[in-house]
Amino acid sequence: MYLARFSYDVLPVHRQRAMDFIRREVAAAGKAGLQARLLVPLTRGQGDPALQFEVALTSLDQLEGLRQRGGETAPQDWMHAFSEILTAPPQVEILRVDGVQAGGTPI
């Protein structure tokens, strides 16, 4: 299993709008049968992202399909609108889940 984490920097004035865009990503992932969530840091260091989107993938091929679908309707339009409120390009991390959870039980 893999986790793809997208980190976004936005100004406080644009935070709610950015959260609405990310919620669209979460909804699109759910419709595709993926587990996804919006992460809102309660504390963060200087330079850390304001918001994050995380999605669990069984295959890296799912990542491309998710990014293409985006907000379901007119993906290019919503992606363009979202990019206008970002203060920096999104950071993307792709992590491989080790496969063992607490207590040594395989996932």
Side-chain angles (χ1 to χ4, degrees):
M1 177 177 2
Y2 302 93
L3 288 178
R5 184 176 299 149
F6 301 85
S7 300
Y8 304 105
D9 289 315
V10 296
L11 295 174
V13 69
H14 297 301
R15 184 179 170 129
Q16 186 58 50
R17 189 170 171 213
M19 289 174 68
D20 293 341
F21 282 120
I22 297 169
R23 285 183 183 121
R24 290 176 71 174
E25 286 191 272
V26 170
K31 287 182 182 177
L34 301 173
Q35 292 182 339
R37 59 187 167 195
L38 164 62
L39 303 172
V40 181
L42 298 178
T43 61
R44 62 185 179 120
Q46 186 172 352
D48 288 347
L51 299 167
Q52 295 183 333
F53 165 69
E54 184 177 89
V55 61
L57 309 167
T58 56
S59 161
L60 292 177
D61 293 334
Q62 292 173 309
L63 181 61
E64 185 60 29
L66 178 69
R67 298 306 290 173
Q68 292 298 322
R69 258 188 318 283
E72 289 293 308
T73 58
Q76 299 297 60
D77 293 342
W78 84 266
M79 287 171 59
H80 179 72
F82 189 21
S83 69
E84 288 178 353
I85 64 171
L86 298 177
T87 60
Q91 293 180 334
V92 180
E93 294 177 276
I94 299 173
L95 307 136
R96 185 181 58 81
V97 176
D98 180 50
V100 177
Q101 61 188 15
T105 308
I107 295 178

